[in-house]
Amino acid sequence: MLHRKLFRDLLHMRGQAIAIAVIVASAVATYVTMRGAYESLLISQRVYYDTYRFADVFASLKRAPEPVAQRLREIDGVAAVQTRVAANVILDVPGLDEPASAALLSLPDDGEPRLNKVHVRSGRLPMNADEVLASESFAAENRLLPGSHLAAIINGRWRTLRICGIAITPEYVQETRGHAFPDHRRFGILWMHRHHLAAATGMQGAFNDVAFALAPHASEAEVIASIDRTLAGYGGLGAYGRDEQSSHRFLRDELAQDRITSIVIPAIFLAVAALLIHLLLSRLVASQREQIAVLKAFGYENGPVAMHFAAFGLVIVVIGSAAGIPIGIWLGRSLTGLYTKFFHFPALTFHVSAMSIVVSTGTTILASLIGALNAVRRVVALPPAEGMRGEAPPRFGWGLLDRTRIIRAVSPPVRMIFRSLQRTPLRTAMSVLAMATAGMILVVGQFSFDALQSMIDVHFRAAQTDDATIELNEVRGDDALHEIARLPGVTRVEPQRVVPVRIRAGHHSRRIGLVGLERGAAMRRLIGMHGEEVTLPAKGLVLTTKLAQILGVRAGDDVIVEALVAPRSVASMRVASLVDESIGISAYAVREDVNRFMREGPSLSSAQLAVQPQRAAELYAVLKSMPGVTSVSLREAMLASMKKTIVENIYISASMIVAFACVIAFGVIYNGARIALSERGRDLASLRVLGFSKGEVGAMLLGEQAVLTLTSIPIGFAAGWLLCIYIARKFDSEVYRIPLMISGRTYAISFLVITLAAAFTSIVVQRRIGRLDLVEVLKTRE
């Protein structure tokens, strides 16, 4: 009999049950999607790193004879050493007008490297002179295949290179050259047989790059210190661990942010589902007080009665979970497929653990049980006779609103709306809370769009206004500015002196580029993520806020700056001010101070160019053939790269969240209105009998929902703003930070979605009010 009653209750309340099941499905799907994508990326990283022996420590230097490698192997804590030759080269890629650049790395003469192994996707390893492997992203973006040719300037000479294979490596899961965002079209990795690369670069019997694997329990800091001492006489640029390796850092930050997203957002969705199940069961039990008493009078014990109502919630949860799990797996596979565009693994397949499924479904199941048992507990405690008597009406009296002049000035129907809300404060508060969560999720889901657009506007439109940045293969005097200014199409040149340094404060340190800028530079300004501009001081450093946080310093503190290139100057410098940039970590100073620090005259290592658009192609053709240029960066290309990496990834994730948030908004508002209708059907029918029209009766019920909805909107927006603060703080990595920026458009769209959900609900509820059977509803329930 209880099973038949359960079926009838579900059929009678199918609207509310379906709405909650859809919300449960959205919550479970979100958790499975995000958690599964995070777990898939994490597992793929671990397997790839272990299988292909990703190094623990890296070091670059000017030149060292090969016997020095034996001294490196003897360092305590070093398990393996892999030396190689590395060179930065300019490329002329078929079909690409702009100059591209590549990191050209050597492969051992005897086959596979011991560390940072390559995985050949197609083709074969290079054997002959001028044969190279090309990295997968670079080859794909430029439509290069085994057998394709490209030209390169190696050690000042033009060489035609033939691609013999396409490969990936754990060292470049994300192909970057130290910038925050990769540009796969214009930067790639090439591998050449060591004998041929050494001959082309004059590095026979020597190396200028080395990777290390550490023994278990070895101290990374002590090993790095020993490496630096060994390589100091060979132009060592300072060894560093995985955490400072650009590709690993990018992947590490992505995993950290995915972990936060996979916990916070699904937790909100699951909490909303749990709250709605609790509200539905609480009101269902309250409305069936007399039926419970009758069941007890006929001999049913408290346990079976409680489990009957628990089963009501369990059925909804099971249906929602059964729909949400496959949807989550399907979305997770799509999201994991998206990752293959950014991160390159031999295999990256979607994997979701059983624990993730258990957590998502278990949370809602537990919430339904708690909601049912908490609601039934008070009713089953009553003796059957008292329960069948009906609940005593609440004590009515003059409330706070009744004492105000405002309530006396409105019509009786409006007074009824406010009095009903006032006399059930707990129910009113719970309803407002449930609706507020919908607005909160909508704000959070769109926050990413606003933050990323703000990053683009500030960093790529206000702070940087150059058209191209060229890096020179060696430091040049200011006479090079005249040569650069005479290049085709160049209308303005601003020099920079960038020095690789290790900056220290106490026991904290970081390897960064100290950027020397011209005072009053127009093409590179220091602008914080919220638009505040910082003037470059005449003396001292400007640190990005993130770097200052890492070092534990503030404006006015002193730091030790150690140059990692000759003459390896060391100086104490004052932190003059901080700039809260959203991308990367840097230290800035006046170029004259950087030249003085390096004990050199006016000199530069890179330059920013303003270029006439109509002559850009002519400039690119000249830059491709300039041996003194090692790389060319285009601002618009960097922006496009950012959009293809971070922006596209976050936009897809955020779009999924917004879509589910819209579902939840409709479900929450619809569910609240339907429950209110089922609870007050008798009161509304009484008003109809007393002469109120269908429109007036509907206006009173929907008026309550309108008050609840309008009250919930500012609360939801405020909660969303607070949650955005939390997310912005968690999305705080060395690669990029998200500014706390919520536009009026976000609030407007959120308000529109909520009001549309309320309007849709009002239409449905008004139709049901019009179909009320007054005789049936007014029958005494006893």
Side-chain angles (χ1 to χ4, degrees):
M1 187 193 73
L2 289 178
H3 292 333
R4 289 197 299 273
K5 179 180 179 298
L6 173 63
F7 176 77
R8 289 168 182 161
D9 286 343
L10 286 169
L11 187 62
H12 176 67
M13 303 185 71
R14 59 187 177 276
Q16 298 96 302
I18 292 173
I20 294 178
V22 170
I23 293 175
V24 170
S26 300
V28 171
T30 304
Y31 187 87
V32 171
T33 297
M34 294 187 168
R35 191 67 187 178
Y38 164 73
E39 292 175 355
S40 301
L41 197 58
L42 183 62
I43 291 171
S44 297
Q45 179 205 37
R46 289 174 178 171
V47 172
Y48 192 22
Y49 280 9
D50 291 343
T51 305
Y52 289 82
R53 301 201 65 188
F54 182 42
D56 299 305
V57 175
F58 308 82
S60 296
L61 57 148
K62 188 171 183 180
R63 178 190 176 98
E66 191 60 36
V68 174
Q70 184 57 38
R71 293 166 54 190
L72 295 173
R73 293 186 181 94
E74 293 171 356
I75 294 175
D76 189 29
V78 171
V81 174
Q82 180 71 61
T83 63
R84 66 186 177 185
V85 176
N88 294 320
V89 297
I90 287 286
L91 301 177
D92 184 5
V93 180
L96 180 64
D97 293 334
E98 304 91 348
S101 57
L104 185 54
L105 307 176
S106 68
L107 292 173
D109 295 336
D110 55 355
E112 284 280 341
R114 297 183 61 191
L115 302 177
N116 303 327
K117 295 182 177 181
V118 295
H119 174 79
V120 180
R121 294 281 203 186
S122 60
R124 58 170 175 81
L125 291 172
M127 295 186 300
N128 302 317
D130 298 332
E131 283 189 339
V132 294
L133 285 176
S135 57
E136 185 175 50
S137 295
F138 178 69
E141 286 290 328
N142 291 286
R143 299 180 180 177
L144 301 175
L145 299 171
S148 300
H149 292 80
L150 46 81
I153 299 179
I154 303 177
N155 200 23
R157 296 181 179 180
W158 271 102
R159 300 281 293 269
T160 299
L161 304 178
R162 178 181 178 274
I163 296 175
C164 62
I166 309 298
I168 60 174
T169 175
E171 189 177 4
Y172 291 98
V173 173
Q174 177 64 275
E175 296 172 22
T176 65
R177 52 182 168 186
H179 299 302
F181 305 103
D183 182 0
H184 300 313
R185 181 104 164 107
R186 298 165 187 83
F187 176 77
I189 314 299
L190 301 178
W191 291 270
M192 181 182 283
H193 197 282
R194 179 163 179 172
H195 173 75
H196 300 302
L197 181 57
T201 56
M203 295 288 292
Q204 296 94 332
F207 65 92
N208 62 356
D209 198 81
V210 59
F212 302 83
L214 301 185
H217 312 298
S219 170
E220 182 181 280
E222 293 179 4
V223 171
I224 288 175
S226 298
I227 294 170
D228 286 345
R229 286 193 296 269
T230 304
L231 297 179
Y234 303 98
L237 298 180
Y240 55 94
R242 277 188 187 178
D243 283 346
E244 295 186 57
Q245 201 265 347
S246 57
S247 172
H248 174 75
R249 182 175 58 191
F250 200 100
L251 180 56
R252 177 201 64 196
D253 292 343
E254 178 69 25
L255 282 167
Q257 291 163 4
D258 283 357
R259 181 176 178 273
I260 296 297
T261 305
S262 69
I263 293 174
V264 174
I265 302 300
I268 296 171
F269 281 36
L270 291 171
V272 172
L275 176 62
L276 287 180
I277 292 172
H278 181 82
L279 286 174
L280 178 63
L281 290 174
S282 298
R283 292 183 172 185
L284 175 65
V285 170
S287 67
Q288 296 191 7
R289 169 191 170 103
E290 293 87 352
Q291 297 179 31
I292 295 173
V294 170
L295 291 173
K296 290 187 64 177
F298 275 95
Y300 284 89
E301 299 292 336
N302 291 345
V305 173
M307 290 309 300
H308 161 70
F309 286 96
F312 185 90
L314 287 174
V315 170
I316 298 175
V317 169
V318 169
I319 293 174
S321 299
I325 290 172
I327 293 174
I329 293 174
W330 175 72
L331 290 173
R333 286 174 177 166
S334 301
L335 187 59
T336 304
L338 179 67
Y339 278 142
T340 60
K341 296 173 61 178
F342 312 134
F343 306 110
H344 295 270
F345 299 92
L348 178 58
T349 56
F350 180 73
H351 168 82
V352 58
S353 65
M355 181 56 68
S356 297
I357 295 176
V358 169
V359 168
S360 60
T361 56
T363 301
T364 48
I365 288 173
L366 182 62
S368 67
L369 289 174
I370 293 174
L373 297 177
N374 185 53
V376 172
R377 179 176 51 82
R378 291 177 301 169
V379 177
V380 298
L382 296 174
E386 185 176 345
M388 285 186 287
R389 188 182 302 162
E391 189 173 7
R395 296 177 60 185
F396 292 102
W398 286 88
L400 180 63
L401 288 174
D402 294 301
R403 296 186 178 93
T404 63
R405 295 183 179 180
I406 298 176
I407 197 70
R408 300 176 190 176
V410 299
S411 63
V414 176
R415 293 185 200 176
M416 294 173 66
I417 291 172
F418 283 98
R419 284 171 177 165
S420 174
L421 296 173
Q422 175 186 265
R423 287 164 183 166
T424 54
L426 181 60
R427 185 181 70 185
T428 300
M430 295 291 282
S431 299
V432 169
L433 177 62
M435 294 181 183
T437 56
M440 176 182 69
I441 295 172
L442 284 167
V443 170
V444 172
Q446 298 174 88
F447 162 62
S448 299
F449 303 134
D450 296 332
L452 290 172
Q453 187 59 52
S454 175
M455 288 173 61
I456 290 171
D457 291 340
V458 172
H459 190 82
F460 291 100
R461 300 286 185 239
Q464 286 187 237
T465 58
D466 65 298
D467 297 307
T469 299
I470 61 172
E471 295 182 14
L472 308 178
N473 63 351
E474 60 183 20
V475 179
R476 300 281 302 275
D478 275 6
D479 56 341
L481 289 175
H482 303 295
E483 299 177 33
I484 297 172
R486 289 196 296 268
L487 291 174
V490 174
T491 60
R492 182 184 177 93
V493 180
E494 289 184 357
Q496 294 182 353
R497 176 66 171 105
V498 182
V499 179
V501 300
R502 180 177 282 113
I503 185 167
R504 302 179 186 274
H507 61 280
H508 301 292
S509 68
R510 266 297 182 276
R511 294 172 69 257
I512 60 167
L514 174 59
V515 183
L517 301 174
E518 295 290 278
R519 282 185 60 82
M523 289 188 284
R524 184 63 175 95
R525 299 156 60 200
L526 305 182
I527 301 180
M529 65 173 68
H530 295 102
E532 66 280 6
E533 184 169 3
V534 175
T535 302
L536 193 66
K539 194 171 184 60
L541 300 175
V542 177
L543 303 185
T544 55
T545 304
K546 182 62 178 179
L547 177 59
Q549 177 187 335
I550 293 170
L551 298 174
V553 298
R554 300 178 296 180
D557 293 343
D558 292 328
V559 295
I560 303 298
V561 181
E562 174 191 354
L564 298 177
V565 294
R568 306 191 76 89
S569 305
V570 179
S572 175
M573 296 187 181
R574 178 65 53 88
V575 178
S577 56
L578 305 179
V579 57
D580 193 16
E581 291 185 331
S582 59
I583 297 177
I585 57 172
S586 301
Y588 303 96
V590 176
R591 185 168 69 104
E592 293 177 2
D593 277 357
V594 177
N595 291 151
R596 192 178 304 113
F597 168 68
M598 294 301 293
R599 306 171 200 167
E600 60 194 13
S603 55
L604 65 148
S605 57
S606 62
Q608 292 182 296
L609 313 179
V611 181
Q612 295 174 338
Q614 64 271 21
R615 301 192 66 187
E618 186 180 354
L619 171 65
Y620 300 151
V622 172
L623 290 175
K624 287 180 182 181
S625 60
M626 289 184 66
V629 176
T630 59
S631 71
V632 179
S633 301
L634 307 178
R635 179 173 56 90
E636 288 299 327
M638 291 177 62
L639 175 57
S641 173
M642 176 183 173
K643 290 180 178 179
K644 288 189 66 175
T645 52
I646 292 178
V647 175
E648 184 178 347
N649 185 13
I650 293 182
Y651 266 41
I652 292 174
S653 300
S655 298
M656 180 184 69
I657 293 172
V658 170
F660 282 141
C662 293
V663 171
I664 287 180
F666 277 82
V668 166
I669 296 174
Y670 174 79
N671 193 70
R674 285 297 307 271
I675 290 176
L677 176 60
S678 63
E679 286 180 336
R680 304 195 59 194
R682 187 181 181 89
D683 298 337
L684 298 175
S686 298
L687 293 174
R688 289 278 290 111
V689 171
L690 291 174
F692 285 82
S693 66
K694 295 178 182 179
E696 292 173 323
V697 171
M700 279 186 275
L701 178 63
L702 297 176
E704 286 187 23
Q705 296 304 307
V707 172
L708 293 174
T709 302
L710 293 175
T711 303
S712 71
I713 288 176
I715 297 174
F717 287 177
W721 179 72
L722 293 174
L723 187 56
C724 288
I725 293 177
Y726 173 80
I727 293 174
R729 289 178 178 174
K730 290 298 181 181
F731 276 53
D732 185 13
S733 68
E734 294 182 27
V735 176
Y736 68 94
R737 276 78 60 194
I738 292 184
L740 180 62
M741 181 64 64
I742 305 176
S743 68
R745 176 178 173 274
T746 289
Y747 290 121
I749 292 176
S750 302
F751 179 82
L752 181 63
V753 170
I754 293 172
T755 52
L756 285 176
F760 171 78
T761 300
S762 65
I763 294 172
V764 175
V765 171
Q766 185 66 47
R767 290 178 60 187
R768 291 192 66 87
I769 290 175
R771 296 199 301 266
L772 281 177
D773 187 334
L774 302 183
V775 175
E776 184 66 26
V777 173
L778 289 173
K779 286 181 179 178
T780 58
R781 283 172 284 187
E782 295 83 359

